[in-house]
Amino acid sequence: MKRVYVNEKWCLGCRLCEYYCAFQETKESDMARALKGIKINPRINIEEKNGISFAVSCRHCEDALCVKGCITGALSKKEEVILIDKERCVSCYTCILSCPYGAISPSQDGAIKKCELCTDSASGIPACVKGCPNNAIVFEERLG
Amino acid sequence: MKHLIIGNSAAAIGAVEGIRQMNKSDQITIISDEPYFTYSRPLISYLLSGKLSLEKMNYRSKSFYEDNHVTFKYAHAEKVDHLNKQVFLDDGDQMSYDKLLIATGSKAFIPPFAGLESVENKTTFLSLDDVKKLDAMGLESKRVLIIGAGLIGLKCAEGITKKAQSVTVLDLAPQILSSILDYDSSLIVKQHLEKKGINFILSATAEKFTQNTLTLKDKTQIDFDILVLCVGVRPNASLLSGIAAIEKGVVINERAETSVPDIYAAGDVTNGVAILPNAYVTGECAGINMAGGNKTISKMLPMNAIGFFGLNIITAGNYTGSIFELNKDSEFKRLFYQDGLLNGYIMIGNIAKAGIYTSLIREQTKLDTLDFPLICEKPQLMAFRLEERLEKLGGKVERMKFFQPEI
């Protein structure tokens, strides 16, 4: 199945992926207006040091430790995509304890946050991928 | 193939999902001595505090049994006849099986306190019925005494602080949460809980109960209206006693098989680490193998994520070796390392990306292959070598490309 892959060689560290991710979540039409004055809490995060940078988001693991360990059943896997049911999450953070990539984060709304590959978007292409100006984030089929 | 599962929590559900990964046709029956849809046991304190409704306690969506063609039967399994592959139930029924899974979890351990029988309002805190019992005692304007400052006792304390008149937690140990914290870190959490109104009496030995009074060994007397016993849990392994190998819990191998053919065990009833993720994983492994698959699990890591009144704690592994410590503002962290490996860690307050540390313990990652000072500072993939970062984030294709010699 298609997943988000990143290639740090092409990453500029511009953090546009983070902004597009946060914007996608607002469901607004104007990015500047939607994000103005807001401290974003995106589901993809740039790691950066000494000129190296890359984006990290959910890998949608085949053997998903977060789903198996979820104490409420809020995390589930549907068609290879790991989804979070915010209504059922109690923010116990067992998933944060389990995720080897650090791709799950707390949020202010009482539930955890993670990439769901923009499965709710019309285009079917994740916003971070669409917004990356240098193809450092791609959405494609690979071996794993 | 006929699968019989005794138990209805994480390990049992893991087994159902494991079996269904293999096929859709095997017959599955769940026997539970609780008359409820599968619910998440760790959530009982949330129900008690009113944070969650009964319906939100469900561990799976309401159509789970139907979707997975599971027959649910409310009964208490009394005896296993492994020679004739039958289980006897308390309603007189007997059920035959091809493969049997014991996922009966744990039961409260109650020390033989003198005079305990004279206490009228008392309960343990492990099940939905325990919550109902506590609620029925009417917490309002009651003084609650909790014996045991472990995970269960403190989650109970958190759940009732707003309702009860007072909450006092007593423990034999000199610290709280001794199963997941070292002494220093326990002080941080204790202070936080005290600020929220919970009283502690530590290093205390209960001598005897006389109705609503507990007398300690040092003759201090504590009056209470409700007693909650959270001293500890023990594997609920009696169904297999005299049948299969039992140490502390049921002994299983890496395929979740017991010492008896066609009988599997998973979750808290086993010898393993009693936490929900491990219960699910061993249950799933058992299920896959029961349905003819070949799944093995590695040794389970002790690990825990828990929060009290908004203070989050994540821990894993064991706390031996050299210590890296970070203690500033509202963040406390200790990493324990030895012989080039991470043994364990404790994070309080800021728990971001903790799973990267967990993976270092699980994978036995050699610390000299990492930028150790960087990963001590905070868990991050940047601390890994380039080829590992590429594999983690780019999949196997990237790794192949990386190792291709340039021509």
Side-chain angles (χ1 to χ4, degrees):
Chain A
M1 74 150 232
K2 281 187 170 181
R3 286 187 165 87
V4 167
Y5 293 104
V6 301
N7 187 345
E8 63 180 62
K9 201 160 59 177
W10 302 112
C11 179
L12 307 167
C14 68
R15 296 184 182 263
L16 272 173
C17 52
E18 296 183 345
Y19 282 93
Y20 276 104
C21 176
F23 175 49
Q24 191 273 344
E25 209 178 10
T26 65
K27 312 286 178 223
E28 299 276 340
S29 54
D30 183 281
M31 187 172 184
R33 197 176 300 157
L35 299 182
K36 193 170 188 297
I38 288 173
K39 190 175 181 294
I40 60 166
N41 182 17
R43 295 154 293 179
I44 187 166
N45 283 283
I46 294 288
E47 284 194 22
E48 193 171 17
K49 191 179 180 273
N50 296 341
I52 299 170
S53 58
F54 51 85
V56 181
S57 60
C58 174
R59 304 287 87 209
H60 298 276
C61 304
E62 211 170 294
D63 188 26
L65 298 172
C66 59
V67 174
K68 293 184 181 184
C70 179
I71 70 163
T72 66
L75 283 165
S76 65
K77 203 172 192 179
K78 286 198 184 70
E79 286 155 16
E80 304 301 309
V81 182
I82 295 168
L83 302 171
I84 171 73
D85 179 348
K86 295 202 169 228
E87 291 295 308
R88 299 177 66 192
C89 175
V90 293
S91 289
C92 73
Y93 301 150
T94 303
C95 51
I96 295 179
L97 156 73
S98 310
C99 176
Y101 303 100
I104 302 181
S105 46
S107 80
Q108 295 303 314
D109 59 8
I112 58 98
K113 286 186 97 159
K114 68 174 294 301
C115 164
E116 298 179 295
L117 293 177
C118 292
T119 37
D120 54 348
S121 82
S123 68
I125 301 168
C128 56
V129 174
K130 254 196 288 185
C132 179
N134 212 28
N135 283 329
I137 310 175
V138 294
F139 189 51
E140 58 187 42
E141 204 120 5
R142 287 189 188 173
L143 287 175
Chain B
M1 184 77 83
K2 227 158 130 183
H3 302 286
L4 194 55
I5 299 173
I6 318 283
N8 190 24
S9 285
I13 300 307
V16 170
E17 292 179 350
I19 293 167
R20 287 295 174 246
Q21 281 172 42
M22 301 298 296
N23 70 65
K24 306 283 175 222
S25 55
D26 282 4
Q27 217 185 85
I28 305 176
T29 303
I30 285 181
I31 310 279
S32 172
D33 57 9
E34 291 180 278
Y36 307 116
F37 184 77
T38 179
Y39 68 91
S40 170
R41 217 161 279 279
L43 294 184
I44 59 172
S45 66
Y46 295 79
L47 178 69
L48 185 62
S49 71
K51 253 193 213 167
L52 283 186
S53 63
L54 198 56
E55 191 191 318
K56 290 252 173 84
M57 298 283 293
N58 292 347
Y59 181 51
R60 286 293 182 267
S61 66
K62 204 66 203 168
S63 58
F64 180 83
Y65 298 144
E66 215 181 314
D67 296 346
N68 289 285
H69 306 290
V70 173
T71 307
F72 174 84
K73 188 172 165 64
Y74 168 44
H76 178 68
E78 286 188 322
K79 202 181 142 221
V80 173
D81 175 356
H82 64 289
L83 299 173
N84 296 304
K85 295 180 123 186
Q86 298 233 322
V87 174
F88 295 87
L89 308 177
D90 63 345
D91 61 3
D93 260 12
Q94 57 196 77
M95 301 196 66
S96 62
Y97 64 83
D98 295 312
K99 305 281 178 187
L100 174 66
L101 174 68
I102 304 296
T104 44
S106 48
K107 56 178 185 229
F109 165 66
I110 301 175
F113 291 124
L116 194 57
E117 66 288 347
S118 72
V119 181
E120 195 185 329
N121 282 325
K122 60 173 183 283
T123 180
T124 53
F125 192 65
L126 278 185
S127 66
L128 207 49
D129 283 341
D130 287 339
V131 175
K132 291 183 175 175
K133 207 167 148 188
L134 254 177
D135 250 348
M137 289 177 196
L139 288 160
E140 288 74 16
S141 74
K142 296 282 170 61
R143 296 160 300 173
V144 181
L145 176 63
I146 298 171
I147 310 287
L151 295 163
I152 295 173
L154 293 189
K155 269 322 244 189
C156 177
E158 182 195 37
I160 61 178
T161 302
K162 272 194 186 145
K163 289 184 185 173
Q165 183 195 317
S166 70
V167 180
T168 301
V169 182
L170 182 136
D171 204 296
L172 190 63
Q175 71 163 87
I176 66 166
L177 295 171
S178 53
S179 67
I180 62 159
L181 298 179
D182 61 4
Y183 182 76
D184 295 342
S185 56
S186 79
L187 294 179
I188 298 170
V189 181
K190 179 169 168 261
Q191 209 173 44
H192 176 73
L193 292 171
E194 281 169 339
K195 268 190 212 152
K196 300 291 176 184
I198 297 171
N199 308 303
F200 289 99
I201 303 173
L202 301 178
S203 306
T205 309
E207 197 172 71
K208 70 163 194 262
F209 288 92
T210 327
Q211 285 155 349
N212 284 4
T213 304
L214 167 64
T215 308
L216 301 181
K217 206 176 167 193
D218 67 6
K219 304 305 168 199
T220 311
Q221 294 204 322
I222 304 156
D223 294 332
F224 59 87
D225 303 303
I226 294 172
L227 179 67
V228 189
L229 295 157
C230 306
V231 176
V233 294
R234 296 287 182 269
N236 191 13
S238 55
L239 260 183
L240 290 183
S241 71
I243 296 174
I246 297 175
E247 282 169 12
K248 192 171 122 273
V250 179
V251 178
I252 55 170
N253 63 13
E254 72 286 351
R255 287 172 44 88
E257 294 163 333
T258 68
S259 58
V260 182
D262 300 321
I263 301 182
Y264 297 71
D268 288 12
V269 74
T270 68
N271 248 342
V273 181
I275 52 165
L276 192 142
N278 291 353
Y280 181 90
V281 170
T282 50
E284 184 194 38
C285 170
I288 291 170
N289 293 330
M290 286 161 77
N294 189 18
K295 174 97 175 169
T296 57
I297 35 169
S298 49
K299 199 170 167 278
M300 291 287 156
L301 194 65
M303 55 180 197
N304 210 282
I306 197 159
F308 298 104
F309 303 104
L311 180 68
N312 297 301
I313 305 164
I314 292 189
T315 63
N318 69 66
Y319 307 148
T320 53
S322 308
I323 298 176
F324 168 85
E325 181 179 306
L326 185 84
N327 188 0
K328 59 165 195 204
D329 305 326
S330 56
E331 185 182 356
F332 176 91
K333 175 166 73 184
R334 270 187 180 175
L335 303 180
F336 301 83
Y337 59 97
Q338 199 172 26
D339 302 329
L341 300 173
L342 187 65
N343 281 343
Y345 70 90
I346 295 169
M347 292 172 96
I348 301 173
N350 179 6
I351 47 78
K353 298 177 190 261
I356 294 178
Y357 289 148
T358 313
S359 77
L360 296 183
I361 306 172
R362 190 189 296 117
E363 308 298 331
Q364 298 268 291
T365 306
K366 289 193 169 57
L367 297 178
D368 61 8
T369 66
L370 297 171
D371 184 337
F372 188 55
L374 191 68
I375 208 154
C376 280
E377 195 185 299
K378 63 177 185 191
Q380 51 192 307
L381 299 183
M382 187 66 84
F384 289 82
R385 287 196 294 216
L386 173 64
E387 65 262 38
E388 282 171 56
R389 293 200 303 265
L390 292 179
E391 178 169 340
K392 283 179 195 297
L393 299 171
K396 285 172 187 149
V397 172
E398 285 298 326
R399 189 186 174 97
M400 281 159 58
K401 272 185 199 159
F402 182 81
F403 282 113
Q404 256 170 22
E406 278 181 27
I407 302 163

